[in-house]
Amino acid sequence: MLQAVEDVSNMLSKENEALKNSLIAKLEDVADESERARLEPFKPNKQKTEDLNSLLNTLKVDGKKPKNKSPAPKLAPVKIEDMYGAQPSGIFSKAHFIEESSAVSGLATWDMLYEKELELAVTHPPANGFHQMIQWTKQGKVWQFPIDNEQGLDEEAQVGFHEHVFLEPHLKPWCPRRGPVRHFMELVVVGLSKNPYLTVEQKKEHINWFRDFFEAKRSILIDTGAIPDITTKSSPSLST
């Protein structure tokens, strides 16, 4: 791949080093994007998660109480007097209280902590192993059953396999049939077709970037003989 970059940059003697750095930087961006996609955790399938949860919720746990249990001691009833039956003292009859303004908004941090406190108040630890598995499934910590290697790739489920592999037709509108530019783009297309971590739209965007890059250098490529001097209309976007 580096040799193909070297061949393309050697054609443009005026901008040899700048062109070489641009192409290598773009290839490194593709590699970094693929690595981030590979390390990104999968997204649980909600439908499969609900099916598994409904199955586990139907399981019953034997909660019978032990027979030999001593009865709880009975406490004497407590007499509660009427606390509002006495005569008020009247010491606050002339007091003036300042009402809080409803227009003043609270801090976002306090609101977030309050919501977190409410969530913790109603969240209980799992009672058994089944509840723990349900909780881990909802959090995406375990695989949903049956195991699917394409789990979390719901957007790519509607895309055919051939669109990922056969990317050479995207070079026909603009790429020359032979020469170092063609050789370089063929290596790029082969690398993208073997990349399982990028979507079809992302692969087309990378091909678009190289097309626009070489289109900006068209005059130099024509002078060096890399492409024929034929005036053509700009090709449509590959993403459409």
Side-chain angles (χ1 to χ4, degrees):
M1 197 68 192
L2 293 177
Q3 183 61 38
V5 174
E6 190 72 25
D7 295 340
V8 174
S9 60
N10 287 336
M11 295 186 342
L12 309 177
S13 57
K14 298 180 180 180
E15 304 176 357
N16 189 340
E17 193 64 27
L19 177 64
K20 180 179 178 181
N21 294 335
S22 299
L23 294 177
I24 293 178
K26 181 58 180 178
L27 295 175
E28 291 177 351
D29 291 340
V30 176
D32 294 339
E33 186 175 356
S34 302
E35 185 67 14
R36 289 193 300 270
R38 184 181 69 85
L39 299 177
E40 184 178 1
F42 66 89
K43 300 179 181 178
N45 191 319
K46 296 182 178 179
Q47 182 63 32
K48 294 183 180 180
T49 303
E50 293 177 358
D51 296 341
L52 179 61
N53 294 340
S54 60
L55 175 62
L56 296 179
N57 286 330
T58 56
L59 301 177
K60 297 181 179 180
V61 181
D62 188 7
K64 296 182 180 180
K65 298 181 179 180
K67 297 180 179 180
N68 300 328
K69 185 177 180 181
S70 59
K74 297 182 179 181
L75 302 177
V78 180
K79 183 179 180 182
I80 302 177
E81 298 181 357
D82 186 7
M83 60 184 302
Y84 298 102
Q87 186 70 21
S89 61
I91 59 176
F92 297 107
S93 59
K94 297 181 180 180
H96 298 282
F97 298 97
I98 301 176
E99 297 182 358
E100 295 183 359
S101 177
S102 58
V104 179
S105 59
L107 297 176
T109 304
W110 290 108
D111 295 339
M112 182 181 61
L113 293 176
Y114 178 71
E115 294 177 358
K116 183 65 175 179
E117 185 177 358
L118 291 179
E119 181 181 355
L120 294 176
V122 299
T123 303
H124 304 285
N128 49 53
F130 294 111
H131 290 174
Q132 189 175 40
M133 290 293 294
I134 293 173
Q135 183 178 359
W136 286 352
T137 304
K138 290 180 178 179
Q139 295 174 354
K141 295 181 179 179
V142 296
W143 289 86
Q144 289 86 25
F145 293 92
I147 295 296
D148 185 4
N149 291 334
E150 297 182 356
Q151 193 171 128
L153 301 177
D154 300 332
E155 297 180 359
E156 290 296 302
Q158 307 299 328
V159 179
F161 177 77
H162 63 282
E163 297 187 32
H164 280 276
V165 178
F166 302 107
L167 299 174
E168 289 187 0
H170 300 302
L171 303 180
K172 291 183 179 179
W174 61 273
C175 188
R177 296 183 179 181
R178 61 183 61 87
V181 176
R182 180 72 182 192
H183 178 61
F184 171 78
M185 287 308 305
E186 286 179 350
L187 293 179
V188 171
V189 167
V190 170
L192 291 176
S193 64
K194 295 180 179 180
N195 193 323
Y197 306 109
L198 298 180
T199 63
V200 173
E201 293 300 324
Q202 289 175 326
K203 293 179 180 181
K204 291 180 180 179
E205 288 177 2
H206 290 308
I207 297 177
N208 267 334
W209 186 93
F210 288 109
R211 184 199 64 185
D212 297 337
F213 178 82
F214 288 116
E215 185 66 25
K217 310 292 183 181
R218 171 174 288 274
S219 60
I220 303 178
L221 295 175
I222 292 176
D223 294 340
T224 56
I227 59 176
D229 187 6
I230 301 176
T231 304
T232 58
K233 297 182 180 180
S234 59
S235 59
S237 177
L238 298 178
S239 61
T240 57

